[in-house]
Amino acid sequence: MIQAVESPPPASAPVLAAYSYCEAVTGQQARNFAYGIRLLPVPKRRAMSALYAFSRRVDDIGDGALDDEVKATRLEDTRALLTRIREGAVDEDDTDPVAVALAHAARAFPIPLGGLDELIDGVLMDVRGETYETWDDLKVYCRCVAGAIGRLSLGVFGTEPGARGAERAPEYADTLGLALQLTNILRDVREDAEGGRTYLPADDLAKFGCSAGFSGPRPPEGSDFAGLVHFEVRRARALFAEGYRLLPMLDRRSGACVAAMAGIYRRLLDRIERDPGAVLRGRVSLPGREKAYVAVRGLSGLDTRHVSRRTVRRRA
């Protein structure tokens, strides 16, 4: 169980500057993430921005144009930086603002920094071009690149004192990360294929006649692409339902943050379910006004109360 931190230590001027840099990175590059963290109180928002900026650095190495050997070296260099942060060897005078901000955040909140090691492991799987035969295989990757982020975020959010079942909060945070990542995989199926990556399990592709891949705006001839998408959507919905059990364990604003981020992805999933072929024609996304609406619903408690009622009914 991870208890919420009542009053994080104050930040010096250099640390505040480092946080400002991370918040700028988050605001400029986070498509969906930023809508949720805006709902957090300042200390938690800063800590989440530091986590995002470090994670973004890892992802950018994996997605960059460097050759695979250089990528692997840079990822290990980033792991070495993480080790320095974990060992308290980064202070406010360090020239790397992301390291400075993350080091302060890790002192202010019980963030399980090993989750960032898992993220690096997951991106190394991308660099090696790994593919996945079964959903159990793919879950290993998803837990590295997304479930770990859920557990890291829980270190910032904390759980409410006395929250029922709070010992399972990391499990639910991990599962919610899997739901978001599977939604990402569905949304980006053509873009990933064009980049030489296949994430959906080979067993699932074969079951629906899609083993030929997705290099164009139309599914493979003779395939049941809609059936494949609907199958994966049902899997993602089950993960969302399980992961949403986390929400009643969080304070109001942390719960609103999670509800906003997850709500945006659930709406993406709805769009994909209604028109499976859309993911082959272009990138499925939500307009900014709809994302803002989801965030407002989360802050008002509409989504969190809805999930809480469903959770109580399931447990009754």
Side-chain angles (χ1 to χ4, degrees):
M1 182 169 58
I2 302 174
Q3 292 289 346
V5 174
E6 292 296 328
S7 54
S12 65
V15 170
L16 290 175
Y19 276 132
S20 293
Y21 174 84
C22 292
E23 288 183 292
V25 169
T26 303
Q28 292 166 8
Q29 299 188 34
R31 295 190 179 108
N32 299 319
F33 187 80
Y35 282 87
I37 69 169
R38 289 172 186 163
L39 306 178
L40 294 170
V42 171
K44 290 185 178 183
R45 186 173 71 238
R46 289 172 177 160
M48 289 295 289
S49 293
L51 279 174
Y52 177 84
F54 191 93
S55 301
R56 180 77 265 165
R57 178 179 294 181
V58 174
D59 286 342
D60 285 347
I61 294 171
D63 292 336
L66 302 170
D67 66 51
D68 290 346
E69 185 176 347
V70 175
K71 286 182 181 181
T73 298
R74 291 199 175 182
L75 286 167
E76 292 303 336
D77 289 344
T78 306
R79 195 192 301 275
L81 174 61
L82 179 61
T83 298
R84 290 181 56 226
I85 292 170
R86 185 184 293 112
E87 293 175 348
V90 172
D91 59 31
E92 64 183 33
D93 296 323
D94 197 282
T95 57
D96 185 336
V98 175
V100 171
L102 183 58
H104 184 271
R107 290 193 295 270
F109 297 96
I111 299 172
L113 290 178
L116 291 170
D117 277 304
E118 292 180 59
L119 173 62
I120 293 170
D121 291 338
V123 175
L124 281 168
M125 293 167 78
D126 280 336
V127 170
R128 292 193 295 266
E130 293 196 19
T131 56
Y132 309 96
E133 290 297 316
T134 67
W135 168 237
D136 284 341
D137 295 334
L138 180 58
K139 275 197 294 188
V140 174
Y141 170 77
C142 290
R143 285 210 161 95
C144 286
V145 300
I149 302 301
R151 287 177 269 117
L152 287 158
S153 300
L154 183 62
V156 176
F157 299 146
T159 54
E160 286 283 81
R164 183 180 176 185
E167 70 278 358
R168 297 191 66 184
E171 173 190 336
Y172 296 142
D174 184 278
T175 300
L176 200 53
L178 265 63
L180 270 59
Q181 185 62 25
L182 183 54
T183 303
N184 265 338
I185 288 170
L186 285 173
R187 181 194 63 188
D188 297 339
V189 65
R190 180 181 171 185
E191 180 181 331
D192 289 334
E194 290 173 344
R197 293 176 181 173
T198 301
Y199 291 103
L200 290 175
D203 282 359
D204 296 351
L205 296 176
K207 184 187 304 182
F208 293 95
C210 294
S211 298
F214 314 103
S215 58
R218 297 186 181 184
E221 186 175 352
S223 69
D224 180 12
F225 180 71
L228 171 66
V229 170
H230 290 147
F231 178 80
E232 303 298 349
V233 165
R234 288 193 296 272
R235 175 176 279 156
R237 289 198 188 284
L239 293 167
F240 273 115
E242 181 73 8
Y244 261 52
R245 295 188 179 196
L246 173 67
L247 294 185
M249 302 174 186
L250 306 178
D251 66 76
R252 176 174 172 268
R253 291 176 70 175
S254 296
C257 172
V258 175
M261 290 188 287
I264 288 169
Y265 278 86
R266 285 181 66 198
R267 284 176 177 248
L268 282 173
L269 200 63
D270 290 342
R271 291 193 173 203
I272 292 168
E273 182 178 38
R274 287 195 298 269
D275 184 6
V279 298
L280 298 181
R281 298 192 300 270
R283 189 180 183 88
V284 178
S285 62
L286 300 183
R289 63 182 180 278
E290 189 170 351
K291 294 178 182 179
Y293 171 74
V294 175
V296 170
R297 280 181 61 88
L299 188 58
S300 67
L302 291 174
D303 284 347
T304 53
R305 285 198 299 271
H306 175 63
V307 171
S308 296
R309 288 195 296 271
R310 289 172 56 200
T311 303
V312 168
R313 284 199 294 270
R314 279 197 299 268
R315 291 175 178 170

